[in-house]
Each structure stands twice: as C-alpha cells, then as structure tokens.
C-alpha cells in the first residue's frame, strides 16, 4: 500500500491481514508495479526517482534517479518484454527502463500532463492518459466549441518502437442535463482499465459541464450539473471511443 503523505510503502500479509513492515521510499510515492523478477517499482513524484523494493527482504534495494523536477507518476511493466515504462508528468515523456539493469533504454515525447499508463496483456499496446484535457476552442470566452476532434486524450503507443499509433479523443457529451446525466467534457483522466480479452478499455474521469452557466446558456451551475464522475469506453481495435 502506498502512503502518499508519509513517503512510504506498507506491506501486509494477504492471508492474515497482518501489517508486516512500513518501508521508507522517496517523496510523494504515486504508483507501484511488479517486475517479472518480483521486484516492486515505486514512482516518487516529488523526489523524481524510482524506489525498487525487494518483497522478500522488505527493503529498498535500488533508487533510480530521474530528471530533476520531472514528476514521475504512472509506472507499468510489459507482460511480454518485462520492460518498465514510467510517465514523467512535468516533462511530457514516457521512459522505458530495463528491469534487470535498471538502465534507461528509450524515451518518448507524449505531450503535456501524462500521468497513467496501461499495457495490454500481449504487450503490444500501451495506453497513456493525459491527465488534463487541452483547452477547447473558445473555452476562455462565452461560447465554447466542442468539435469531435477535441476533448480528453488517451494516446495509443507501440511500446516496442516507442511510437504513437493513435490519439483517442474522449468527446464532449451532449446529453441533456438531468440528475442522472448531463453535458460535459472528460477531464482529469485516470488510468485505462483494459478488459481481459484486450478488446476494450475503460477510462475514468470527471466530466466538466463547460457549456452551462449564466453567461454561456443562461442556466446556473448546481451541485448535480457542474461536474460528475464518468467512465469512457475505447474500442482498442479501432482506437475510437465507443
């Protein structure tokens, strides 16, 4: 368990629920992944490093420095190659590292605010969620435009070649504002959850009702039509939002 405010990781016995140890790591740990050799990789956002924990000794066996102020966040390990991938939120990059030598083997620019990474079971595709949605046309004015090619962004990346395959746009919803649905654009994207058969991915986010308000459509914002929690579904074969 990551203790984000205490800069540590707590280990529990999965059978007895007994607390085994609390292991100090870097500042502001944000994500954890297990490599093929069973070592645990933890990203430390504020210390710009990765702590590698041996679960047998319950201790940090390696600290991997990353670029200064790069704010590492998501980490994922490829099921096919065993390589680790780390999202650097501040620099807009994804790094690939060898989980045996701990050396960086590749880097890719993915644009602003990458946070979360997910890899398909065959290791052929990586999904990179950009946490903050780029501004929509006219968002700083009274009239916001919501074209189909603007919205939340999930990047489909080939992890072997570290190249962009497609940018999936999570579009504005035009559903009428009611207590159980509403308009809005996906923002603050979380990690994509990939179905076991690799056919779909679900991306959680909040939905910002950018077209509502006294200035924009003459209606006031209220508690149920300002923001709401949503999930967006992506068809991985086509790379399109469903």
């Amino acid at each position: 368990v990551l203790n984000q405010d205490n800069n540590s990781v707590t280990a529990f016995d999965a059978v007895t629920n007994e607390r085994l140890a609390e292991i100090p790591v870097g500042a502001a740990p944000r994500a954890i992944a297990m490599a093929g050799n069973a070592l645990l990789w933890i990203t430390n956002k504020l210390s710009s490093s990765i702590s590698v924990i041996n679960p047998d000794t319950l201790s940090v066996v390696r600290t991997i420095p990353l670029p200064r102020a790069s704010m590492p966040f998501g980490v994922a390990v490829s099921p096919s190659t065993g390589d680790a991938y780390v999202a650097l939120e501040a620099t807009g990059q994804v790094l690939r590292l060898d989980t045996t030598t701990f050396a960086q083997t590749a880097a890719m620019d993915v644009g602003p605010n990458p946070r979360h990474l997910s890899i398909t079971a065959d290791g052929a595709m990586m999904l990179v969620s950009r946490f903050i949605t780029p501004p929509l046309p006219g968002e700083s004015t009274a009239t916001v435009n919501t074209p189909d090619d603007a919205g939340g962004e999930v990047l489909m990346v080939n992890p072997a070649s570290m190249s962009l395959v497609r940018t999936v746009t999570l579009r504005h919803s035009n559903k009428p504002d009611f207590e159980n649905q509403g308009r809005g654009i996906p923002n603050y994207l979380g990690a994509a959850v990939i179905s076991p058969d690799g056919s779909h991915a679900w991306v959680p986010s909040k939905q910002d009702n950018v077209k509502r308000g006294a200035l924009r459509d003459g209606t006031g914002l209220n508690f149920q039509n300002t923001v709401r929690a949503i999930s967006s579904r992506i068809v991985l074969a086509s790379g399109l939002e469903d």
Side-chain angles (χ1 to χ4, degrees):
V1 178
L2 294 178
N3 305 311
Q4 297 187 9
D5 296 327
N6 199 41
N7 305 331
S8 64
V9 172
T10 301
F12 292 89
D13 187 304
V15 177
T16 66
N17 296 325
E18 178 188 1
R19 178 180 177 274
L20 301 176
E22 185 169 344
I23 307 159
V25 293
R30 285 296 183 264
I32 186 169
M34 178 178 285
N37 54 13
L39 295 180
L40 302 174
W41 286 51
I42 294 92
T43 53
N44 305 307
K45 181 177 180 178
L46 296 185
S47 59
S48 297
S49 66
I50 297 171
S51 297
V52 182
I53 292 177
N54 185 328
D56 294 328
T57 62
L58 297 176
S59 62
V60 174
V61 295
R62 185 98 176 198
T63 299
I64 305 171
L66 297 172
R68 182 178 180 273
S70 57
M71 298 173 64
F73 206 103
V75 58
V77 175
S78 170
S80 58
T81 66
D83 291 321
Y85 296 84
V86 180
L88 305 183
E89 184 176 1
T91 62
Q93 291 181 304
V94 172
L95 306 183
R96 184 175 67 203
L97 297 98
D98 188 299
T99 53
T100 301
T101 66
F102 308 107
Q104 179 182 319
T105 59
M108 177 185 176
D109 293 326
V110 294
N113 308 305
R115 269 201 180 182
H116 300 286
L117 306 176
S118 305
I119 302 179
T120 55
D122 59 5
M125 187 67 65
M126 176 167 60
L127 302 180
V128 183
S129 299
R130 290 181 61 184
F131 180 61
I132 299 176
T133 294
L136 298 173
E139 190 168 334
S140 61
T141 71
T143 304
V144 184
N145 297 315
T146 53
D148 286 346
D149 60 351
E153 294 184 352
V154 178
L155 279 60
M156 301 181 70
V157 171
N158 183 326
S161 62
M162 292 290 277
S163 59
L164 178 65
V165 176
R166 186 185 183 98
T167 298
V168 183
T169 301
L170 306 183
R171 296 169 296 173
H172 181 272
S173 170
N174 293 314
K175 291 183 177 180
D177 292 345
F178 293 127
E179 62 182 12
N180 61 343
Q181 67 176 40
R183 295 170 293 174
I185 196 75
N187 194 13
Y188 287 16
L189 273 57
V193 178
I194 300 170
S195 63
D197 63 2
S199 62
H200 294 81
W202 279 259
V203 182
S205 70
K206 71 183 178 79
Q207 181 178 258
D208 297 340
N209 197 341
V210 294
K211 287 193 171 183
R212 189 180 176 105
L215 177 64
R216 291 181 173 167
D217 73 347
T219 61
L221 295 168
N222 57 42
F223 75 95
Q224 61 191 12
N225 287 118
T226 301
V227 295
R228 63 177 65 245
I230 62 167
S231 290
S232 303
R233 186 168 64 179
I234 299 171
V235 180
L236 295 182
S238 63
L240 297 174
E241 179 187 22
D242 182 354

